[in-house]
Amino acid sequence: MTDPQAIQPSALDQLPDRDPEETAEWQASLDAVAKAAGPHRAAYLMRRTLERAEGNGIALPKLLETDYVNTIPTAAEPSAPGDPEMERRITAWNRWNAAAMVTRGSKHGVGGHIATFASAAWLYETGFNHFFQGKEADGSGDQLYIQGHASPGIYARAFLDGRLTERHLDNFRQESGGEGLPSYPHPRRLPWLWEFPTVSMGLGPLSAIYQARFNRYLTNRGIKDVSASHVWAFLGDGEMDEPESTAALALASREGLDNLTFVINCNLQRLDGPVRANFKIVQELEAQFRGAGWNVIKSLWGSAWDELFQLDTTGALVRRLREVPDAQVQTYQTRGAAYIREDFFGKDPALAEMAKLLSDDKILECFHLSRGGHEARKVYAAYKAAVEFKGAPTVILAQTVKGHTLGEGFASKNANHQMKKLSVDEFKAMRDLLELPISDAQFVDGVVPYGHPGADSPEVRYLQERRAALGGPAPARRTHAVAPLPAPADKTFASFDKGSGSQNLATTMAFVRLVKDLVRDKETGKRWVPIVPDEARTFGMESLFPSLGIYSPKGQTYEPVDRDQLMYYKEAENGQILNEGITEAGSMADFIAASSAYSTHGEAMIPFYIFYSMFGWQRTADQMWQLGDQLGRGFLVGATAGRTTLTGEGLQHADGHSPVIAATNPAALSYDPAFAYEIAAIVKDGLRRMYGEAAPGEDQDVFYYLTVYNEPMPQPAKPSAPGVDEGILKGLYRFNTAESAGVQVAAANAPRIQLLASGTAIHWALKAQKLLAEEWGVAADVWSATSWTELRRDALDADAALLRGEERQPFVRRALQGAEGPVLAVSDYMRQVPDQIAQWVEQDWSSLGADGFGLSDTRDAARRHFGVDAESIVVAALAQLARRGEVKAASVKEARERYGL
């Protein structure tokens, strides 16, 4: 039967062959090798030939997968500096205290993870001793993205260093009483230690890439030279299944981010079992990263394997290592020498002969203990090669054993992620293995003791000297004494107070115009970081292209097709705009890096990320939590917001719920402004609070979410009534009364209702105000509710104060005090958005909203469908008044029929 592959046409068949005879000779040689020495030898020669071609710069497709061996041969490993024995003892103490902390905490039922750090200890210790630059180093030091489940080991090292006490360790995962330690890297909970929250799987790798990219952005724009900073991301092999983990690999290689290193702890296990039971995760990741253009370094086997590789004169060992699936490697970790001899070596005659030369102890040493990620020399060689490699990011695939040194009950067991403690006997066995001077008498009442060699011990002095040489403690987050940014001129914001006159203007355009003025500010203009996911023209931002430039590390190597136009597409090495393409996740990662630059680099940057509101909180809400945890500051702008303002786009574009999701994030100040002057006031105050002089008791570590609309509408002048400015920021103010609006109400004692509206809904409320007066004799006052969420938070604070014995009235109750009639609230969102404040409103309450799925239609038809248009507001208002006996019940039916509802 003919091999189907043999008749497949090749892309090379389309190229002219200038010397068919030479080609035939090469092919014949390959056939001869395969026939005489076997296909494995032929494949070996082909791989070596491709490697030589790649090394000589010959343009060929990259070899995506290499043998299952270390990338750096033993003979090529550099000698690691320092004192290996001292570093072994330090690592032993850290291993012990990490396990002790989690075990002691398990008595309180708070959990914890032991096995991850046990496998990764040398990956961290080698970095801390020789590579990770502290905050006193050049630039801003290194940025460390620590694997979340490894946090006990980082705490253990900080304890040895004197930065944490036994009390801290005993309060692991017990934060409410003070001096507690958060379960994972949480900057908001432990801001002097942690810089980056990483335990939400996949977000660490994505953020690390954009952090490295933002470092280049800061340097290329002349904000701060951070070219000496290196970004290290420590990841799990199971974590790489998350789509965000690999979403930006091409960006990192495309922009040549050689200031970035991924260290993937390949212990071959995820939470419930093997990562790739029937396959090999290391080989899969190697191909994925090489294909994306990364430099790949594999550190798989420890020095005990050197003898085996020297005995492998036929390549049988290397072939067997390639074919054994990961789950079987895990099984070897738990079985005896006899099983390994039969199952691993017995599959090939050449290996069976090799096994005869090996003692049982040697076999067990290799298969149970000796991994590249467990030896400082191997790890050092990989790290040194990574930081010296130029032109592309590096990924280190380090093979380890999950639960290493914790005993036979832990190592490579499927359940070890859920195992929270060791028994006293297991600790004593671990003590003996690690050679720690801890006596049996120190185990008082069965409680495992913490271990510390003493503040003035050689181990602690060595650790501190190494960190001093590298620029100070790590990890560490610095709270810089950054001078407040000068406030932009008042006239920049005041220009919006007069309204747009006869011109209709969408609030999206109002925001863009404001930003255009702010980026021209001589003091702070350069600190704005505009971020947009390939929708700049949708939001009317193309005018910023030629003036600010789009950031590209290569500048502009082509002539843009629209170069002869005023608003041409301009890329520049020092460009200010981050135009990310179609990636909301990448744009959010940009925002997070920029929003925390005040801490990471001591440089306050002002990011604003503008996006389709539907594709912000719904798609990337997890990153918004990451942003809040990282204490980021800046402006998120949900454009084309609301369920009915984006005509024709339909369900997947119709946002009726982003304020609901935003309300769940304690760090997000969520606003739904109706008018241009409200946007100006909110942005002005946001700049003051986040970047200027915050008021006493104000949290600066917040970010703002503003919804803006693409519907051109009249932009009125700001009312001159007292309390408007306060109301805009607190969430509610009276825009007008029936009398000030000039609507005619026939009766002097007409029924009255209060219409509360946010965002674009205020225009429907204003039309309803007129209809109610002219057609039904009802007086309506219209209020602008700029933030339902801030009103609710203020009310919750007032309730909490009351429980403490303090008298405090919620702002929403104070604002509406004395307002006549019932309250009807309306927005372009689900009813639960305005209903957030219902329980604090003393008047009768009712609400309207756009609940359900969106749909494609005109704005008017969509609003009629959801029952939020002006006519629907009128009917709802009459129904409310009819229930109170203030209008005839028949009026409600009459109105429905008149308006065709």
Side-chain angles (χ1 to χ4, degrees):
M1 182 175 178
T2 304
D3 181 359
Q5 295 297 324
I7 60 174
Q8 291 287 330
S10 167
L12 293 175
D13 292 341
Q14 302 177 53
L15 303 177
D17 190 343
R18 291 183 295 181
D19 193 340
E21 185 176 347
E22 182 184 34
T23 303
E25 289 176 357
W26 277 78
Q27 292 172 334
S29 296
L30 182 63
D31 292 342
V33 170
K35 184 176 181 180
H40 295 300
R41 177 61 180 171
Y44 175 85
L45 292 176
M46 288 299 299
R47 287 200 301 273
R48 288 293 179 262
T49 302
L50 288 171
E51 288 172 356
R52 175 59 64 88
E54 184 178 334
N56 289 338
I58 299 174
L60 286 173
K62 284 185 176 293
L63 186 67
L64 296 185
E65 188 179 318
T66 61
D67 287 324
Y68 203 68
V69 297
N70 295 347
T71 301
I72 303 173
T74 301
E77 290 172 0
S79 297
D83 185 336
E85 174 57 24
M86 188 69 72
E87 292 174 18
R88 185 198 66 78
R89 296 207 301 270
I90 290 170
T91 305
W93 284 116
N94 292 338
R95 286 182 181 279
W96 176 271
N97 287 321
M101 172 173 48
V102 176
T103 297
R104 287 166 67 128
S106 69
K107 293 186 177 182
H108 303 288
V110 295
H113 301 285
I114 301 179
T116 294
F117 178 73
S119 67
W122 278 113
L123 302 180
Y124 291 106
E125 291 300 323
T126 303
F128 285 130
N129 288 326
H130 302 290
F131 291 94
F132 302 157
Q133 299 292 312
K135 298 303 178 184
E136 304 302 326
D138 292 341
S140 303
D142 289 354
Q143 287 82 55
L144 308 180
Y145 288 76
I146 304 294
Q147 191 179 2
H149 292 148
S151 62
I154 308 305
Y155 290 140
R157 193 171 214 275
F159 169 64
L160 201 66
D161 193 12
R163 294 197 290 164
L164 293 176
T165 66
E166 286 194 16
R167 180 172 173 80
H168 285 114
L169 299 192
D170 267 344
N171 283 324
F172 174 60
R173 292 193 169 193
Q174 299 174 77
E175 300 175 76
S176 60
E179 292 191 308
L181 298 179
S183 52
Y184 303 123
H186 289 303
R188 186 169 286 276
R189 289 293 178 228
L190 200 63
W192 60 267
L193 181 73
W194 298 120
E195 275 195 290
F196 307 107
T198 54
V199 81
S200 189
M201 297 296 176
L203 298 189
L206 180 69
S207 290
I209 290 174
Y210 281 89
Q211 181 67 56
R213 197 279 198 94
F214 190 73
N215 290 358
R216 289 281 172 85
Y217 172 89
L218 286 179
T219 300
N220 290 344
R221 287 197 55 218
I223 302 293
K224 182 179 182 180
D225 184 359
V226 294
S227 55
S229 294
H230 200 88
V231 177
W232 299 81
F234 289 84
L235 317 168
D237 47 0
E239 179 180 6
M240 301 311 293
D241 282 346
E242 288 285 1
E244 294 89 351
S245 294
T246 55
L249 298 187
L251 167 72
S253 61
R254 183 170 65 246
E255 299 202 359
L257 298 180
D258 50 24
N259 61 337
L260 170 68
T261 297
F262 276 15
V263 181
I264 303 181
N265 177 17
C266 297
N267 57 35
L268 313 184
Q269 287 184 250
R270 51 190 177 198
L271 275 60
D272 290 328
V275 179
R276 292 291 183 272
N278 296 296
F279 305 93
K280 300 192 80 64
I281 186 59
V282 168
Q283 300 301 89
E284 179 181 320
L285 291 174
E286 178 184 29
Q288 195 168 12
F289 278 87
R290 283 188 184 276
W294 287 53
N295 175 43
V296 178
I297 299 173
K298 295 196 289 191
S299 183
L300 307 180
W301 307 111
S303 56
W305 283 81
D306 290 348
E307 179 183 343
L308 275 66
F309 287 122
Q310 290 172 1
L311 294 173
D312 184 29
T313 58
T314 66
L317 176 62
V318 173
R319 290 197 299 272
R320 181 67 178 136
L321 289 174
R322 281 175 61 90
E323 69 187 22
V324 175
D326 284 351
Q328 191 63 23
V329 173
Q330 186 179 343
T331 297
Y332 294 148
Q333 176 70 33
T334 63
R335 300 299 176 86
Y339 178 88
I340 298 172
R341 284 182 186 277
E342 178 182 352
D343 192 86
F344 181 83
F345 292 98
K347 302 294 185 181
D348 185 293
L351 290 180
E353 290 300 312
M354 179 191 296
K356 294 177 182 178
L357 304 176
L358 304 174
S359 67
D360 285 355
D361 287 344
K362 181 65 176 181
I363 289 175
L364 293 179
E365 180 186 12
C366 289
F367 284 84
H368 285 191
L369 302 174
S370 188
R371 300 291 186 272
H374 292 325
E375 295 189 13
R377 182 185 176 103
K378 304 290 184 184
V379 176
Y380 179 87
Y383 284 10
K384 188 172 188 294
V387 297
E388 292 178 353
F389 189 87
K390 300 303 177 186
T394 293
V395 59
I396 295 170
L397 303 174
Q399 186 167 249
T400 66
V401 174
K402 193 167 185 177
H404 184 59
T405 73
L406 297 180
E408 295 182 359
F410 264 83
S412 285
K413 294 298 176 66
N414 281 338
N416 61 19
H417 188 81
Q418 305 301 329
M419 298 163 70
K420 311 299 183 185
K421 59 184 177 180
L422 297 174
S423 67
V424 169
D425 287 341
E426 287 172 325
F427 264 110
K428 290 179 179 179
M430 181 183 177
R431 171 201 62 190
D432 297 341
L433 175 66
L434 298 176
E435 300 177 355
L436 290 173
I438 297 173
S439 67
D440 288 354
Q442 290 177 261
F443 290 81
V444 180
D445 296 328
V447 177
V448 58
Y450 294 120
H452 199 292
D456 196 39
S457 65
E459 292 92 336
V460 173
R461 288 200 306 271
Y462 181 89
L463 181 156
Q464 293 175 341
E465 287 168 1
R466 291 305 308 140
R467 290 312 314 157
L470 289 166
R477 180 180 181 274
R478 176 180 291 178
T479 303
H480 293 269
V482 179
L485 295 182
D490 282 342
K491 65 179 181 179
T492 303
F493 305 99
S495 63
F496 289 84
D497 290 351
K498 60 186 179 182
S500 61
S502 60
Q503 179 188 10
N504 285 351
L505 182 70
T507 53
T508 298
M509 289 309 304
F511 177 81
V512 172
R513 287 186 184 182
L514 175 62
V515 169
K516 285 173 64 177
D517 291 339
L518 291 172
V519 295
R520 294 192 187 104
D521 185 86
K522 292 182 179 179
E523 296 289 336
T524 60
K526 68 178 182 179
R527 296 192 175 275
W528 283 86
V529 183
I531 304 168
V532 60
D534 199 36
E535 291 280 4
R537 297 183 193 278
T538 302
F539 307 136
M541 292 175 58
E542 65 268 29
S543 60
L544 298 177
F545 288 169
S547 57
L548 300 184
I550 299 165
Y551 173 73
S552 170
K554 289 186 176 295
Q556 193 154 37
T557 61
Y558 60 93
E559 183 177 354
V561 66
D562 54 0
R563 182 62 183 87
D564 57 342
Q565 298 177 17
L566 180 63
M567 293 183 288
Y568 71 97
Y569 194 84
K570 177 187 175 182
E571 295 188 84
E573 189 175 352
N574 63 346
Q576 193 164 348
I577 300 170
L578 293 172
N579 193 349
E580 289 303 356
I582 305 174
T583 168
E584 286 83 8
S587 299
M588 267 306 302
D590 264 337
F591 187 90
I592 291 169
S595 71
S596 53
Y598 73 91
S599 172
T600 308
H601 297 296
E603 297 287 346
M605 304 299 288
I606 312 171
F608 80 87
Y609 166 34
I610 187 167
F611 51 89
Y612 263 64
S613 61
M614 184 69 160
F615 305 139
W617 286 90
Q618 173 170 299
R619 183 169 291 186
T620 57
D622 195 13
Q623 288 178 285
M624 273 75 162
W625 277 99
Q626 180 188 12
L627 165 65
D629 198 358
Q630 199 164 313
L631 288 75
R633 305 169 184 174
F635 297 95
L636 296 175
V637 183
T640 60
R643 185 147 276 165
T644 70
T645 65
L646 189 58
T647 57
E649 293 284 1
L651 185 152
Q652 290 189 353
H653 286 64
D655 169 25
H657 52 281
S658 67
V660 177
I661 309 175
T664 66
N665 191 311
L669 277 61
S670 178
Y671 286 90
D672 186 25
F675 303 123
Y677 67 80
E678 294 176 350
I679 292 173
I682 294 165
V683 171
K684 179 182 179 181
D685 195 66
L687 290 172
R688 175 201 62 80
R689 176 170 178 173
M690 295 185 291
Y691 300 98
E693 296 285 357
E698 272 188 327
D699 185 2
Q700 281 191 285
D701 299 322
V702 295
F703 60 92
Y704 283 65
Y705 176 55
L706 280 71
T707 49
V708 293
Y709 301 85
N710 71 327
E711 184 176 7
M713 299 295 287
Q715 296 297 326
K718 185 166 99 173
S720 57
V724 171
D725 289 323
E726 180 188 25
I728 291 173
L729 300 178
K730 287 188 174 294
L732 183 68
Y733 68 96
R734 182 154 46 195
F735 176 71
N736 68 19
T737 63
E739 292 75 18
S740 66
V743 296
Q744 300 299 316
V745 183
N749 59 343
R752 185 173 291 270
I753 191 169
Q754 308 298 319
L755 301 180
L756 277 57
S758 68
T760 193
I762 204 167
H763 298 286
W764 323 330
L766 290 170
K767 183 180 178 182
Q769 180 188 49
K770 185 176 181 181
L771 291 173
L772 283 166
E774 295 178 352
E775 299 185 14
W776 305 99
V778 173
D781 300 339
V782 176
W783 299 69
S784 179
T786 54
S787 179
W788 309 101
T789 301
E790 287 306 296
L791 290 172
R792 175 179 175 80
R793 288 175 176 171
D794 171 81
L796 289 171
D797 287 345
D799 286 355
L802 190 63
L803 292 176
R804 295 193 300 268
E806 304 170 18
E807 288 294 333
R808 183 177 150 198
Q809 190 176 31
F811 177 82
V812 62
R813 186 171 295 167
R814 178 157 52 93
L816 289 170
Q817 195 165 27
E820 298 178 36
V823 167
L824 174 60
V826 60
S827 79
D828 204 18
Y829 297 98
M830 306 167 67
R831 285 179 59 181
Q832 70 189 81
V833 175
D835 283 349
Q836 292 180 86
I837 65 169
Q839 72 185 80
W840 294 281
V841 175
E842 293 182 322
Q843 293 86 345
D844 290 343
W845 173 271
S846 184
S847 63
L848 296 174
D851 286 76
F853 288 112
L855 77 165
S856 299
D857 214 314
T858 64
R859 292 186 178 108
D860 289 342
R863 286 161 189 166
R864 176 57 58 91
H865 169 81
F866 287 111
V868 294
D869 59 349
E871 291 78 8
S872 298
I873 294 174
V874 170
V875 173
L878 293 174
Q880 234 180 328
L881 291 167
R883 286 193 296 270
R884 294 164 56 94
E886 296 181 26
V887 300
K888 296 178 181 179
S891 299
V892 181
K893 180 180 178 182
E894 182 184 348
R896 283 202 304 267
E897 292 175 350
R898 180 183 300 183
Y899 301 135
L901 298 178

